């Protein structure tokens, strides 16, 4: 029986594009031909064009982590150390999308996605904030509407990476601590929670070899989630198809390249790429940009 991953991967071995970082995260493909990624430990935002050296885009990101674009192509980033989610314009200015819930400071925003209606969803785990500094008593997934309206979508144990299904009716959320699994939130047409369930278990004996973390979905609905020993790939029904192994344990992943068939991994001190046969789900901004 052939390996299930062989039907979706074009190459088996990952290529290292750059190394020497503290801890890479927040990968994001820009259709102008480069990837953004962060070095959390050094609070730096970088970009890299394949075949060239990585460039520093911005320092002092407040331990920037997950990134996405809004529908105008502005960079949205979770500033974990600053306990907020911000949006940056091309000239370097930023504004706060959300830093409080009902008047209380967020815990430590981690990862973020944009829905095709312009809504921004992000995770806010609380475990890494000292107990005496926590103002919001729970960890949760939040939503910020284009008009600025804020809502809590669901509370969680330790929400981390998140990604939408192709039809955006499912929001997958990685739970990193205690029980390690991927949760799925079923949403109505307005993006509100209908019901929730476990999508897949991702157990590990130790978090030293990776935990459920960053996620992306391909156009056929497969879920790619970094975790123990590598990046786990699941069929839309939750069946585990296999694990993509990279030289270093990946914390996050994104589909990139002109055809969205290149997986770009942020893996500890380095960033890697690997080719797939199936493209990733395009960011909503890519579609908007293409119509202009």
């Amino acid at each position: 029986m052939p390996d299930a991953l062989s039907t979706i991967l074009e190459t088996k071995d990952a290529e290292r594009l750059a190394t020497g970082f503290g801890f890479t995260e927040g990968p994001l493909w820009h259709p102008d031909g480069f990837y953004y990624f962060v070095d959390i430990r050094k609070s730096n935002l970088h970009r890299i064009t394949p075949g060239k050296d990585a460039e520093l885009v911005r320092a002092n990101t407040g331990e920037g982590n997950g990134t996405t674009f809004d529908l105008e192509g502005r960079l949205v980033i979770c500033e974990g150390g600053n306990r907020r989610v911000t949006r940056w314009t091309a000239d370097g200015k930023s504004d706060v999308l959300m830093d409080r819930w009902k008047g209380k400071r967020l815990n430590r925003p981690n990862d973020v996605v944009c829905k095709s209606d312009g809504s921004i969803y992000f995770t806010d785990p609380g475990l890494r904030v000292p107990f005496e500094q926590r103002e919001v008593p729970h960890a949760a997934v939040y939503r910020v509407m284009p008009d600025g309206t804020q809502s809590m979508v669901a509370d969680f144990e330790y929400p981390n990476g998140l990604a939408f299904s192709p039809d955006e009716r499912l929001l997958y959320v990685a739970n990193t601590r205690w029980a390690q699994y991927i949760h799925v939130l079923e949403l109505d047409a307005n993006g509100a929670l209908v019901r929730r369930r476990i999508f897949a278990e991702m157990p590990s004996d130790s978090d030293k070899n990776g935990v459920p973390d960053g996620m992306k979905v391909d156009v056929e609905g497969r879920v790619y989630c970094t975790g123990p020993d590598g990046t786990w790939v699941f069929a839309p029904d939750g069946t585990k198809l296999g694990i993509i192994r990279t030289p270093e344990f990946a914390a996050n992943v994104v589909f990139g390249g002109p055809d969205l068939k290149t997986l770009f991994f942020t893996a500890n001190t380095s960033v890697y790429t690997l080719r797939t046969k199936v493209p990733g789900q395009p960011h909503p901004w890519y579609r908007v940009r293409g119509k202009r």
Side-chain angles (χ1 to χ4, degrees), residues 29-238:
W29 165 252
H30 194 292
D32 283 348
F34 62 86
Y35 296 92
Y36 283 118
F37 66 96
V38 303
D39 187 335
I40 298 178
R41 301 285 187 260
K42 299 179 181 178
S43 285
N44 287 337
L45 173 72
H46 296 274
R47 77 176 194 177
I48 186 168
T49 301
K52 298 182 179 180
D53 293 335
E55 307 170 63
L56 177 65
V57 176
R58 184 166 178 169
N60 302 315
T61 64
E63 297 178 42
N65 197 339
T67 62
T68 191
F69 295 114
D70 69 5
L71 293 188
E72 296 183 26
R74 292 172 294 190
L75 187 70
V76 177
I77 185 167
C78 291
E79 299 182 12
N82 289 335
R83 301 171 70 171
R84 65 188 186 183
V85 181
T86 57
R87 179 174 56 203
W88 301 352
T89 57
D91 59 5
K93 296 180 180 179
S94 66
D95 59 277
V96 177
L97 288 183
M98 185 169 171
D99 63 352
R100 294 178 183 274
W101 173 243
K102 295 184 176 180
K104 298 180 180 180
R105 290 190 72 191
L106 296 174
N107 289 309
R108 193 179 176 87
N110 187 294
D111 208 353
V112 60
V113 291
C114 179
K115 197 167 179 278
S116 60
D117 66 358
S119 298
I120 300 295
Y121 289 70
F122 68 93
T123 55
D124 184 42
L127 185 63
R128 292 186 180 177
V129 178
F131 184 80
E132 66 276 7
Q133 296 178 21
R134 298 179 199 174
E135 297 184 23
V136 178
H138 53 259
V141 174
Y142 295 96
R143 174 177 61 169
V144 182
M145 299 289 285
D147 65 2
T149 301
Q150 302 172 357
S151 60
M152 188 178 79
V153 181
D155 60 355
F156 271 88
E157 293 174 315
Y158 194 109
N160 199 326
L162 71 174
F164 278 108
S165 62
D167 64 2
E168 297 186 330
R169 298 303 291 268
L170 302 177
L171 179 61
Y172 300 99
V173 183
N175 194 81
T176 294
R177 296 292 188 269
W178 299 296
Q180 296 180 355
Y181 58 89
I182 298 175
H183 217 96
V184 63
L185 305 180
E186 299 180 23
L187 308 177
D188 63 19
N190 296 316
L193 178 65
V194 175
R195 64 183 64 85
R196 58 195 297 173
R197 56 185 168 85
I198 301 297
F199 173 71
E201 301 281 354
M202 296 181 65
S204 173
D205 294 332
S206 170
D207 63 6
K208 292 182 179 179
N209 64 342
V211 294
D213 203 335
M215 272 193 296
K216 295 299 180 291
V217 176
D218 70 20
V219 295
E220 297 177 355
R222 298 180 191 85
V223 177
Y224 297 66
C225 185
T226 59
D229 298 320
T231 301
W232 296 40
V233 184
F234 299 94
D237 65 0

Side-chain angles (χ1 to χ4, degrees), residues 15-37:
E15 176 187 359
R16 190 171 71 182
L17 297 188
T19 191
F21 305 100
F23 188 88
T24 60
E25 248 282 10
L28 184 63
W29 165 252
H30 194 292
D32 283 348
F34 62 86
Y35 296 92
Y36 283 118
F37 66 96

